[in-house]
Amino acid sequence: MARSTCKTARAIEAWFAANARDLPWRRDRTPWRALVSELMLQQTQVARVLERFEPFVQRFPTPLALAEATEHDVLQMWQGLGYYRRARNLQKAAIVVVAQYGGAVPVDVESLLTLPGVGRYTAGSIASIVGGHAVPIVDGNVSRLLARLHCDDGAVEDAGFVRRMWARATALVERSAEPSLLNEGMMELGARVCTPSGPACGGCPIRQQCAARQASRQHEIPRPKRRAASQVIHHHAVVIRRRGRWLVEKRPAGGLWGGLWQAPAVECPLELGVEAIVERVPLPIANAVRVDTLTRKLTHRTVHLHVYEGTLCKGARVPADEGLQWVRRGDLGELPLSSAAWAVLDLIDSH
Ligand code: ADE
């Protein structure tokens, strides 16, 4: 039956087809390789899995090979990946595959859910990406993307919020032309573009449809888990000066220092290295040099201000944007600046 596809799904599919990273488990798609990679990727960064994946599937090329291995051999091949329970689950899953499914990993959700270590997300991922079935997936990355797309400011730990995300993922995949591209595209967008802090909306294929972006609320959605302790923010400011003028940006309307001006900055819960900062600031920065770090204690937050000085790439133009302007040093006092911006300014002046 022909499905009516929707614009959002098509945009994600086309973006993924053109932008997918070349990852080892994407090169040769088999249900076994998909199962191994998904279990390795649970709670673990892609970068860490990169070097471990091929040696593992070469040593255990089939479910049967893993089912027959000693636990010692399995754990040895899992070294460096942590959470060793996943390795034991993978071996148990291989044993079930051999005993119940004739040695071939199934690609339908119902059968996949009978395998140890395989939950709704992992089953959906394998069934859609390898099996081509129109079944949903929701993980942290996808949930953030869907919450922003629908401007849903529910709390991530709330059961109603989780249910809504699965319902949205289902609605989308059922109207997609290529469930495999849609689902993996959502994972990839969540990992690389629709990131927790400092989402790169300029490079997002569904920015036009994104309700959070329309409301300038993408930075506050999804609502972070309620924390007892004060929240820690790493604010990485890049001071860019040209011919006596400072480049300043306007903060999003809501949240901390909402609507105030500051040196272009990237904020996130962890401190970033210079390369990550340059990558995330939506400006063509040629180089950035660290100046110093200041710490500010606010009522509910601790803000670490990491101050960098940077230059724009030669000949680069600053994007025409209402939220970005060059201001003479003497005129900065006329703009509403955030307290971070003042601290940064004072630091550079005294440097
Ligand atoms: N492709 C399929 N599953 C993936 C995952 N969990 N992370 C990144 N890329 C994937």
Side-chain angles (χ1 to χ4, degrees):
M1 188 182 73
R3 283 193 295 258
S4 70
T5 60
C6 80
K7 198 173 154 197
T8 303
R10 267 180 304 168
I12 296 171
E13 289 161 13
W15 177 86
F16 184 68
N19 291 286
R21 281 172 294 179
D22 174 27
L23 300 175
W25 50 93
R26 291 181 180 168
R27 280 179 209 154
D28 174 18
R29 306 263 196 193
T30 66
W32 174 236
R33 288 169 64 89
L35 179 65
V36 173
S37 65
E38 287 300 349
L39 286 201
M40 284 189 174
L41 286 159
Q42 287 172 2
Q43 293 134 352
T44 303
Q45 302 272 327
V46 166
R48 198 173 260 256
V49 176
L50 282 182
E51 304 108 67
R52 316 273 166 179
F53 175 74
E54 278 302 339
F56 191 96
V57 287
Q58 274 177 24
R59 173 78 179 71
F60 308 115
T62 59
L64 181 62
L66 185 66
E68 290 179 344
T70 62
E71 185 178 77
H72 174 269
D73 282 355
V74 178
L75 296 183
Q76 195 176 31
M77 292 307 291
W78 199 268
Q79 263 183 68
L81 287 167
Y83 300 102
Y84 288 86
R85 205 158 87 93
R86 293 176 299 161
R88 295 200 179 88
N89 273 339
L90 182 56
Q91 188 174 35
K92 284 189 207 149
I95 292 167
V96 176
V97 166
V98 170
Q100 308 282 325
Y101 299 102
V105 174
V107 292
D108 64 288
V109 168
E110 203 182 321
S111 308
L112 281 161
L113 285 173
T114 65
L115 304 178
V118 174
R120 196 172 172 193
Y121 160 80
T122 303
S125 173
I126 299 170
S128 61
I129 296 174
V130 188
H133 299 298
V135 292
I137 50 152
V138 175
D139 67 352
N141 284 332
V142 173
S143 157
R144 180 170 61 253
L145 178 137
L146 292 173
R148 285 178 177 157
L149 182 62
H150 296 272
C151 201
D152 186 328
D153 61 6
V156 292
E157 66 271 32
D158 175 52
F161 176 85
V162 175
R163 261 197 310 277
R164 291 197 295 281
M165 295 309 129
W166 279 97
R168 282 170 184 145
T170 305
L172 205 51
V173 78
E174 286 182 348
R175 297 181 63 202
S176 102
E178 294 268 2
S180 61
L181 292 181
L182 172 77
N183 281 354
E184 209 170 11
M186 285 198 292
M187 292 180 194
E188 189 86 345
L189 266 181
R192 291 170 53 204
V193 176
C194 195
T195 49
S197 45
C201 300
C204 179
I206 53 169
R207 60 182 179 277
Q208 311 280 359
Q209 292 97 303
C210 181
R213 184 166 184 266
Q214 274 156 25
S216 292
R217 296 191 63 203
Q218 65 269 40
H219 300 270
E220 51 188 84
I221 289 178
R223 184 136 52 90
K225 283 199 180 116
R226 236 166 291 145
R227 275 175 230 271
S230 117
Q231 187 191 4
V232 174
I233 298 174
H234 288 269
H235 174 104
H236 309 83
V238 185
V239 174
I240 298 167
R241 287 177 291 184
R242 196 145 79 178
R243 294 194 287 275
R245 287 167 193 259
W246 289 53
L247 186 59
V248 289
E249 67 171 12
K250 191 174 184 181
R251 292 181 65 90
L256 179 65
W257 302 318
L260 304 183
W261 293 80
Q262 64 185 15
V266 181
E267 280 171 11
C268 60
L270 296 174
E271 183 173 356
L272 298 174
V274 66
E275 280 173 20
I277 298 168
V278 168
E279 204 176 290
R280 292 184 192 202
V281 173
L283 291 164
I285 293 176
N287 56 52
V289 178
R290 212 183 112 91
V291 180
D292 206 348
T293 293
L294 308 167
T295 296
R296 289 280 177 277
K297 284 228 176 273
L298 311 178
T299 320
H300 299 295
R301 307 177 237 233
T302 301
V303 185
H304 298 289
L305 301 171
H306 306 289
V307 183
Y308 287 77
E309 273 201 290
T311 51
L312 292 179
C313 295
K314 210 158 172 249
R317 284 176 169 268
V318 169
D321 188 330
E322 279 177 8
L324 213 50
Q325 56 174 316
W326 291 101
V327 180
R328 254 189 282 276
R329 172 68 188 86
D331 294 338
L332 279 168
E334 288 169 28
L335 275 185
L337 293 191
S338 69
S339 61
W342 282 119
V344 169
L345 208 68
D346 290 343
L347 179 71
I348 296 286
D349 277 347
S350 67
H351 212 65

